[in-house]
Each structure stands twice: as C-alpha cells, then as structure tokens.
Amino acid sequence: MAQPRILILGAPGAGKGTQSANISDEFDVEHVTTGDALRSNKQMDISDMDTEYDTPGEYMDQGELVPDEVVNAIVDEALSQADGFVLDGYPRNLEQAEELEDMTDLDVVLYLDVSEEELVHRLTGRRMDPETGEIYHVEYNPPEDPEVEDRLEQREDDTEETVRERLRVYRENTEPVVEYYDDQGTLERVDGEQAPDDVWESVKETIEDAA
C-alpha cells in the first residue's frame, strides 16, 4: 500500500494527538500539524502576499494570529514535501477545507466522535506537575507518587468555563468542516469514547479499508 494521505478531525480532547502518533508510526507517514509547520517555516518569505509582515515568524513574535492565506501556504508546503501524512489541526474552517482540496487528494478523512460531556470530563481532569511540566489526569492517569499528586495544579486552560468556551469555538468553526466531508461521503466516523487501544484498532482498520 502506498503511504496514505490522512486527515484527522476531532474536538479538543478527542485524542487526535495520540492517534496521529500511532498512525505516523504504523503507516510510516509524517504527522503534520499547523503548529509544527508554522514553527518550521517561520522564516518563509511571504512578501509577495498582501500581508502586514514578510514572514510568519513576525506574526508569532508579536503574538498575533497568522492569517489564513499564510497558514494555507505553509500547510501546502509541508504536504508537498511529505510522501504520506496525517494532517492534524487543519482545516479549521470551510475556507481552509476548500483550499485543502486544491493542495492534495486525501485517502481517508477520520473523525474522532466524542460527546461534549466526555470531552469536558477529559479536559477538566487534566493536571500539571509545576516542577516537571508532566501532564496527568485525575482519573485516567494519576501519578503514583503521593508527593507529586499533592503538588499538581489545574491549568487555566483546563477549567470548565474555559473548556466549554474552547468547545463552543470549535463547534462554531470546525463542525461545518465535519459536515462538509460528511456531505461529500468521505467522512469516516470512529467512536472516540472507547478505550485508547480500541480507538486505535478502529482507526487502523478504517485506514486499511479505505487506503
């Protein structure tokens, strides 16, 4: 089988990072994320675009959002350099989904389907060890050392109010992308509420069947 070109969709907390790493290892494809692509192309010359800055890095240094057209160009560049890939974190809106059509032909579009309450449970249960930066979960992955457990902190990003707002923004912007692929008949839904190993089995089978 040629190296597949895979898009993985899902809300924050759905497990995209874990499954993307599994896909990358199993199918020997590159894990392309918008964050990594931006960081590795910080000095890309975008002076021919009608943008405020001449490189993506200048937006990042100013703490500003990188415009869609720049993100599109960077993702296009990253995908053109990969034989096969799992794309994670893009497209975030319908315009980007339409751009992606022009960049590449996807073999599989995966959607990790997880209910909002389960996502809230997963994300609000995350805790960080301020001394090591390690991430734990109060239920799924608690630390073995009681001392570590006592010093764990909840990050501001993981409070219920913030989590629900992140999910609202996701629904508003990215759910139309899910519907876009569903309407095309290319979306493969995977039950993301199974145990991680079972999710991986479903993901693997779906890719093998489709690619």
mmCIF file of all heavy atoms in Angstrom, residues 42-80:
data_model
loop_
_atom_site.group_PDB
_atom_site.id
_atom_site.type_symbol
_atom_site.label_atom_id
_atom_site.label_comp_id
_atom_site.label_asym_id
_atom_site.label_seq_id
_atom_site.Cartn_x
_atom_site.Cartn_y
_atom_site.Cartn_z
ATOM 1 N N LYS A 42 9.030 29.466 9.919
ATOM 2 C CA LYS A 42 8.913 30.823 10.476
ATOM 3 C C LYS A 42 9.516 31.887 9.558
ATOM 4 O O LYS A 42 9.050 33.008 9.491
ATOM 5 C CB LYS A 42 9.618 30.894 11.843
ATOM 6 C CG LYS A 42 8.776 30.383 12.995
ATOM 7 C CD LYS A 42 9.513 30.493 14.308
ATOM 8 C CE LYS A 42 9.470 31.911 14.839
ATOM 9 N NZ LYS A 42 9.864 31.977 16.268
ATOM 10 N N GLN A 43 10.573 31.499 8.841
ATOM 11 C CA GLN A 43 11.293 32.483 8.006
ATOM 12 C C GLN A 43 10.847 32.449 6.541
ATOM 13 O O GLN A 43 11.480 33.069 5.696
ATOM 14 C CB GLN A 43 12.808 32.237 8.101
ATOM 15 C CG GLN A 43 13.375 32.368 9.506
ATOM 16 C CD GLN A 43 12.906 33.641 10.208
ATOM 17 O OE1 GLN A 43 12.897 34.725 9.621
ATOM 18 N NE2 GLN A 43 12.500 33.514 11.469
ATOM 19 N N MET A 44 9.780 31.717 6.247
ATOM 20 C CA MET A 44 9.292 31.634 4.859
ATOM 21 C C MET A 44 8.990 33.049 4.335
ATOM 22 O O MET A 44 8.382 33.868 5.035
ATOM 23 C CB MET A 44 8.009 30.783 4.853
ATOM 24 C CG MET A 44 7.390 30.564 3.503
ATOM 25 S SD MET A 44 5.962 29.440 3.743
ATOM 26 C CE MET A 44 5.283 29.423 2.098
ATOM 27 N N ASP A 45 9.411 33.316 3.110
ATOM 28 C CA ASP A 45 9.215 34.647 2.520
ATOM 29 C C ASP A 45 7.774 34.766 2.007
ATOM 30 O O ASP A 45 7.381 34.087 1.062
ATOM 31 C CB ASP A 45 10.212 34.835 1.362
ATOM 32 C CG ASP A 45 10.086 36.223 0.732
ATOM 33 O OD1 ASP A 45 9.270 37.028 1.230
ATOM 34 O OD2 ASP A 45 10.797 36.484 -0.249
ATOM 35 N N ILE A 46 6.999 35.626 2.664
ATOM 36 C CA ILE A 46 5.606 35.822 2.227
ATOM 37 C C ILE A 46 5.400 37.260 1.745
ATOM 38 O O ILE A 46 4.296 37.777 1.731
ATOM 39 C CB ILE A 46 4.596 35.484 3.362
ATOM 40 C CG1 ILE A 46 4.914 36.288 4.641
ATOM 41 C CG2 ILE A 46 4.576 33.993 3.649
ATOM 42 C CD1 ILE A 46 3.835 36.214 5.721
ATOM 43 N N SER A 47 6.512 37.888 1.328
ATOM 44 C CA SER A 47 6.439 39.305 0.942
ATOM 45 C C SER A 47 5.587 39.514 -0.320
ATOM 46 O O SER A 47 5.136 40.629 -0.582
ATOM 47 C CB SER A 47 7.842 39.882 0.735
ATOM 48 O OG SER A 47 8.536 39.107 -0.222
ATOM 49 N N ASP A 48 5.374 38.432 -1.100
ATOM 50 C CA ASP A 48 4.548 38.587 -2.307
ATOM 51 C C ASP A 48 3.058 38.600 -1.968
ATOM 52 O O ASP A 48 2.214 38.894 -2.818
ATOM 53 C CB ASP A 48 4.846 37.456 -3.308
ATOM 54 C CG ASP A 48 4.581 36.081 -2.713
ATOM 55 O OD1 ASP A 48 4.804 35.908 -1.495
ATOM 56 O OD2 ASP A 48 4.145 35.181 -3.460
ATOM 57 N N MET A 49 2.723 38.246 -0.707
ATOM 58 C CA MET A 49 1.317 38.294 -0.284
ATOM 59 C C MET A 49 1.018 39.684 0.267
ATOM 60 O O MET A 49 1.909 40.384 0.741
ATOM 61 C CB MET A 49 1.050 37.268 0.826
ATOM 62 C CG MET A 49 1.205 35.834 0.398
ATOM 63 S SD MET A 49 0.742 34.734 1.765
ATOM 64 C CE MET A 49 1.280 33.159 1.084
ATOM 65 N N ASP A 50 -0.229 40.051 0.225
ATOM 66 C CA ASP A 50 -0.609 41.370 0.728
ATOM 67 C C ASP A 50 -0.822 41.279 2.242
ATOM 68 O O ASP A 50 -1.937 41.358 2.742
ATOM 69 C CB ASP A 50 -1.895 41.825 0.011
ATOM 70 C CG ASP A 50 -2.256 43.252 0.385
ATOM 71 O OD1 ASP A 50 -1.361 43.969 0.865
ATOM 72 O OD2 ASP A 50 -3.429 43.627 0.223
ATOM 73 N N THR A 51 0.289 41.074 2.971
ATOM 74 C CA THR A 51 0.194 40.866 4.418
ATOM 75 C C THR A 51 1.011 41.928 5.163
ATOM 76 O O THR A 51 1.890 42.573 4.589
ATOM 77 C CB THR A 51 0.729 39.463 4.803
ATOM 78 O OG1 THR A 51 2.042 39.297 4.231
ATOM 79 C CG2 THR A 51 -0.182 38.355 4.292
ATOM 80 N N GLU A 52 0.698 42.029 6.461
ATOM 81 C CA GLU A 52 1.342 43.071 7.277
ATOM 82 C C GLU A 52 2.836 42.817 7.449
ATOM 83 O O GLU A 52 3.641 43.738 7.488
ATOM 84 C CB GLU A 52 0.642 43.105 8.642
ATOM 85 C CG GLU A 52 1.036 44.286 9.492
ATOM 86 C CD GLU A 52 0.274 44.330 10.814
ATOM 87 O OE1 GLU A 52 -0.733 43.595 10.954
ATOM 88 O OE2 GLU A 52 0.691 45.082 11.693
ATOM 89 N N TYR A 53 3.207 41.527 7.580
ATOM 90 C CA TYR A 53 4.610 41.174 7.804
ATOM 91 C C TYR A 53 5.136 40.336 6.646
ATOM 92 O O TYR A 53 4.358 39.793 5.861
ATOM 93 C CB TYR A 53 4.756 40.388 9.113
ATOM 94 C CG TYR A 53 4.269 41.135 10.337
ATOM 95 C CD1 TYR A 53 3.160 40.683 11.043
ATOM 96 C CD2 TYR A 53 4.921 42.281 10.790
ATOM 97 C CE1 TYR A 53 2.699 41.359 12.172
ATOM 98 C CE2 TYR A 53 4.469 42.968 11.913
ATOM 99 C CZ TYR A 53 3.360 42.501 12.599
ATOM 100 O OH TYR A 53 2.925 43.169 13.703
ATOM 101 N N ASP A 54 6.469 40.201 6.576
ATOM 102 C CA ASP A 54 7.099 39.472 5.459
ATOM 103 C C ASP A 54 7.414 38.017 5.776
ATOM 104 O O ASP A 54 7.811 37.265 4.893
ATOM 105 C CB ASP A 54 8.399 40.181 5.040
ATOM 106 C CG ASP A 54 8.112 41.527 4.389
ATOM 107 O OD1 ASP A 54 6.986 41.704 3.890
ATOM 108 O OD2 ASP A 54 9.009 42.381 4.396
ATOM 109 N N THR A 55 7.283 37.628 7.045
ATOM 110 C CA THR A 55 7.492 36.218 7.417
ATOM 111 C C THR A 55 6.444 35.814 8.465
ATOM 112 O O THR A 55 5.995 36.672 9.248
ATOM 113 C CB THR A 55 8.888 35.975 8.041
ATOM 114 O OG1 THR A 55 8.969 36.671 9.293
ATOM 115 C CG2 THR A 55 10.025 36.418 7.123
ATOM 116 N N PRO A 56 6.068 34.527 8.506
ATOM 117 C CA PRO A 56 5.129 34.066 9.548
ATOM 118 C C PRO A 56 5.669 34.311 10.951
ATOM 119 O O PRO A 56 4.912 34.588 11.881
ATOM 120 C CB PRO A 56 4.992 32.565 9.269
ATOM 121 C CG PRO A 56 5.396 32.396 7.841
ATOM 122 C CD PRO A 56 6.428 33.444 7.572
ATOM 123 N N GLY A 57 6.990 34.213 11.103
ATOM 124 C CA GLY A 57 7.602 34.367 12.418
ATOM 125 C C GLY A 57 7.302 35.707 13.060
ATOM 126 O O GLY A 57 7.182 35.820 14.284
ATOM 127 N N GLU A 58 7.157 36.744 12.206
ATOM 128 C CA GLU A 58 6.884 38.081 12.757
ATOM 129 C C GLU A 58 5.498 38.140 13.407
ATOM 130 O O GLU A 58 5.319 38.792 14.427
ATOM 131 C CB GLU A 58 7.016 39.128 11.656
ATOM 132 C CG GLU A 58 8.459 39.365 11.219
ATOM 133 C CD GLU A 58 8.563 40.251 10.001
ATOM 134 O OE1 GLU A 58 8.502 41.484 10.165
ATOM 135 O OE2 GLU A 58 8.688 39.716 8.876
ATOM 136 N N TYR A 59 4.524 37.454 12.812
ATOM 137 C CA TYR A 59 3.195 37.383 13.448
ATOM 138 C C TYR A 59 3.305 36.680 14.797
ATOM 139 O O TYR A 59 2.732 37.125 15.793
ATOM 140 C CB TYR A 59 2.214 36.592 12.563
ATOM 141 C CG TYR A 59 1.696 37.358 11.381
ATOM 142 C CD1 TYR A 59 2.292 37.217 10.138
ATOM 143 C CD2 TYR A 59 0.614 38.229 11.502
ATOM 144 C CE1 TYR A 59 1.824 37.925 9.034
ATOM 145 C CE2 TYR A 59 0.135 38.938 10.409
ATOM 146 C CZ TYR A 59 0.747 38.785 9.181
ATOM 147 O OH TYR A 59 0.275 39.487 8.106
ATOM 148 N N MET A 60 4.059 35.555 14.797
ATOM 149 C CA MET A 60 4.173 34.758 16.026
ATOM 150 C C MET A 60 4.894 35.553 17.112
ATOM 151 O O MET A 60 4.500 35.528 18.277
ATOM 152 C CB MET A 60 4.887 33.434 15.717
ATOM 153 C CG MET A 60 4.061 32.571 14.759
ATOM 154 S SD MET A 60 5.040 31.394 13.824
ATOM 155 C CE MET A 60 5.154 30.075 15.004
ATOM 156 N N ASP A 61 5.941 36.269 16.720
ATOM 157 C CA ASP A 61 6.697 37.069 17.696
ATOM 158 C C ASP A 61 5.836 38.170 18.303
ATOM 159 O O ASP A 61 6.022 38.551 19.458
ATOM 160 C CB ASP A 61 7.940 37.691 17.032
ATOM 161 C CG ASP A 61 8.963 36.632 16.623
ATOM 162 O OD1 ASP A 61 8.872 35.501 17.146
ATOM 163 O OD2 ASP A 61 9.819 36.933 15.769
ATOM 164 N N GLN A 62 4.898 38.685 17.520
ATOM 165 C CA GLN A 62 4.008 39.748 18.008
ATOM 166 C C GLN A 62 2.809 39.175 18.765
ATOM 167 O O GLN A 62 1.963 39.923 19.267
ATOM 168 C CB GLN A 62 3.486 40.585 16.833
ATOM 169 C CG GLN A 62 4.556 41.335 16.055
ATOM 170 C CD GLN A 62 5.293 42.356 16.895
ATOM 171 O OE1 GLN A 62 4.708 42.993 17.752
ATOM 172 N NE2 GLN A 62 6.599 42.482 16.681
ATOM 173 N N GLY A 63 2.706 37.837 18.808
ATOM 174 C CA GLY A 63 1.569 37.195 19.472
ATOM 175 C C GLY A 63 0.280 37.354 18.688
ATOM 176 O O GLY A 63 -0.811 37.257 19.247
ATOM 177 N N GLU A 64 0.410 37.600 17.376
ATOM 178 C CA GLU A 64 -0.778 37.786 16.540
ATOM 179 C C GLU A 64 -1.121 36.496 15.799
ATOM 180 O O GLU A 64 -0.239 35.672 15.534
ATOM 181 C CB GLU A 64 -0.532 38.903 15.510
ATOM 182 C CG GLU A 64 -0.403 40.273 16.145
ATOM 183 C CD GLU A 64 -0.201 41.358 15.097
ATOM 184 O OE1 GLU A 64 -0.700 41.188 13.972
ATOM 185 O OE2 GLU A 64 0.461 42.353 15.413
ATOM 186 N N LEU A 65 -2.401 36.344 15.454
ATOM 187 C CA LEU A 65 -2.820 35.189 14.671
ATOM 188 C C LEU A 65 -2.241 35.288 13.267
ATOM 189 O O LEU A 65 -2.292 36.347 12.645
ATOM 190 C CB LEU A 65 -4.348 35.146 14.567
ATOM 191 C CG LEU A 65 -5.101 34.461 15.703
ATOM 192 C CD1 LEU A 65 -6.600 34.537 15.421
ATOM 193 C CD2 LEU A 65 -4.686 33.004 15.873
ATOM 194 N N VAL A 66 -1.693 34.188 12.786
ATOM 195 C CA VAL A 66 -1.175 34.158 11.413
ATOM 196 C C VAL A 66 -2.374 34.083 10.467
ATOM 197 O O VAL A 66 -3.257 33.245 10.651
ATOM 198 C CB VAL A 66 -0.244 32.937 11.219
ATOM 199 C CG1 VAL A 66 0.292 32.893 9.797
ATOM 200 C CG2 VAL A 66 0.901 32.973 12.226
ATOM 201 N N PRO A 67 -2.450 34.970 9.457
ATOM 202 C CA PRO A 67 -3.619 34.971 8.567
ATOM 203 C C PRO A 67 -3.803 33.641 7.837
ATOM 204 O O PRO A 67 -2.828 32.938 7.556
ATOM 205 C CB PRO A 67 -3.300 36.086 7.558
ATOM 206 C CG PRO A 67 -2.213 36.885 8.169
ATOM 207 C CD PRO A 67 -1.467 35.989 9.092
ATOM 208 N N ASP A 68 -5.055 33.353 7.511
ATOM 209 C CA ASP A 68 -5.394 32.101 6.832
ATOM 210 C C ASP A 68 -4.561 31.861 5.581
ATOM 211 O O ASP A 68 -4.103 30.754 5.340
ATOM 212 C CB ASP A 68 -6.885 32.094 6.438
ATOM 213 C CG ASP A 68 -7.738 31.379 7.474
ATOM 214 O OD1 ASP A 68 -7.222 31.121 8.583
ATOM 215 O OD2 ASP A 68 -8.909 31.079 7.186
ATOM 216 N N GLU A 69 -4.381 32.911 4.766
ATOM 217 C CA GLU A 69 -3.683 32.688 3.492
ATOM 218 C C GLU A 69 -2.238 32.244 3.726
ATOM 219 O O GLU A 69 -1.682 31.472 2.937
ATOM 220 C CB GLU A 69 -3.732 33.942 2.609
ATOM 221 C CG GLU A 69 -3.066 35.155 3.203
ATOM 222 C CD GLU A 69 -3.226 36.405 2.332
ATOM 223 O OE1 GLU A 69 -2.801 36.374 1.167
ATOM 224 O OE2 GLU A 69 -3.784 37.392 2.817
ATOM 225 N N VAL A 70 -1.636 32.731 4.821
ATOM 226 C CA VAL A 70 -0.262 32.333 5.144
ATOM 227 C C VAL A 70 -0.247 30.890 5.658
ATOM 228 O O VAL A 70 0.586 30.080 5.258
ATOM 229 C CB VAL A 70 0.358 33.292 6.193
ATOM 230 C CG1 VAL A 70 1.766 32.855 6.550
ATOM 231 C CG2 VAL A 70 0.342 34.723 5.677
ATOM 232 N N VAL A 71 -1.207 30.579 6.540
ATOM 233 C CA VAL A 71 -1.323 29.203 7.050
ATOM 234 C C VAL A 71 -1.531 28.237 5.884
ATOM 235 O O VAL A 71 -0.894 27.173 5.808
ATOM 236 C CB VAL A 71 -2.484 29.075 8.074
ATOM 237 C CG1 VAL A 71 -2.672 27.629 8.499
ATOM 238 C CG2 VAL A 71 -2.216 29.948 9.296
ATOM 239 N N ASN A 72 -2.391 28.617 4.939
ATOM 240 C CA ASN A 72 -2.647 27.759 3.772
ATOM 241 C C ASN A 72 -1.356 27.473 3.003
ATOM 242 O O ASN A 72 -1.084 26.331 2.615
ATOM 243 C CB ASN A 72 -3.650 28.435 2.823
ATOM 244 C CG ASN A 72 -5.021 28.609 3.454
ATOM 245 O OD1 ASN A 72 -5.353 27.967 4.442
ATOM 246 N ND2 ASN A 72 -5.818 29.504 2.890
ATOM 247 N N ALA A 73 -0.566 28.530 2.767
ATOM 248 C CA ALA A 73 0.681 28.374 2.007
ATOM 249 C C ALA A 73 1.659 27.459 2.747
ATOM 250 O O ALA A 73 2.345 26.619 2.134
ATOM 251 C CB ALA A 73 1.323 29.744 1.773
ATOM 252 N N ILE A 74 1.701 27.588 4.064
ATOM 253 C CA ILE A 74 2.623 26.778 4.866
ATOM 254 C C ILE A 74 2.196 25.314 4.883
ATOM 255 O O ILE A 74 3.021 24.402 4.754
ATOM 256 C CB ILE A 74 2.727 27.367 6.298
ATOM 257 C CG1 ILE A 74 3.613 28.601 6.254
ATOM 258 C CG2 ILE A 74 3.254 26.355 7.285
ATOM 259 C CD1 ILE A 74 3.669 29.385 7.527
ATOM 260 N N VAL A 75 0.895 25.071 5.031
ATOM 261 C CA VAL A 75 0.399 23.683 5.016
ATOM 262 C C VAL A 75 0.650 23.068 3.637
ATOM 263 O O VAL A 75 1.101 21.919 3.526
ATOM 264 C CB VAL A 75 -1.104 23.627 5.386
ATOM 265 C CG1 VAL A 75 -1.672 22.236 5.141
ATOM 266 C CG2 VAL A 75 -1.294 24.011 6.851
ATOM 267 N N ASP A 76 0.405 23.834 2.584
ATOM 268 C CA ASP A 76 0.650 23.362 1.214
ATOM 269 C C ASP A 76 2.111 22.937 1.064
ATOM 270 O O ASP A 76 2.416 21.872 0.519
ATOM 271 C CB ASP A 76 0.310 24.491 0.228
ATOM 272 C CG ASP A 76 0.199 23.997 -1.205
ATOM 273 O OD1 ASP A 76 0.254 22.761 -1.425
ATOM 274 O OD2 ASP A 76 0.057 24.831 -2.109
ATOM 275 N N GLU A 77 3.006 23.764 1.566
ATOM 276 C CA GLU A 77 4.447 23.484 1.508
ATOM 277 C C GLU A 77 4.777 22.197 2.270
ATOM 278 O O GLU A 77 5.487 21.316 1.770
ATOM 279 C CB GLU A 77 5.212 24.677 2.106
ATOM 280 C CG GLU A 77 6.715 24.522 2.155
ATOM 281 C CD GLU A 77 7.379 24.567 0.786
ATOM 282 O OE1 GLU A 77 6.730 24.994 -0.197
ATOM 283 O OE2 GLU A 77 8.544 24.147 0.708
ATOM 284 N N ALA A 78 4.231 22.068 3.475
ATOM 285 C CA ALA A 78 4.511 20.885 4.311
ATOM 286 C C ALA A 78 3.996 19.613 3.646
ATOM 287 O O ALA A 78 4.672 18.575 3.646
ATOM 288 C CB ALA A 78 3.880 21.056 5.694
ATOM 289 N N LEU A 79 2.801 19.664 3.068
ATOM 290 C CA LEU A 79 2.213 18.481 2.443
ATOM 291 C C LEU A 79 2.957 18.109 1.171
ATOM 292 O O LEU A 79 3.115 16.918 0.853
ATOM 293 C CB LEU A 79 0.726 18.700 2.135
ATOM 294 C CG LEU A 79 -0.191 18.952 3.337
ATOM 295 C CD1 LEU A 79 -1.642 19.035 2.889
ATOM 296 C CD2 LEU A 79 -0.029 17.889 4.410
ATOM 297 N N SER A 80 3.435 19.111 0.445
ATOM 298 C CA SER A 80 4.129 18.824 -0.816
ATOM 299 C C SER A 80 5.463 18.118 -0.560
ATOM 300 O O SER A 80 5.989 17.436 -1.433
ATOM 301 C CB SER A 80 4.357 20.115 -1.612
ATOM 302 O OG SER A 80 5.301 20.930 -0.953
#
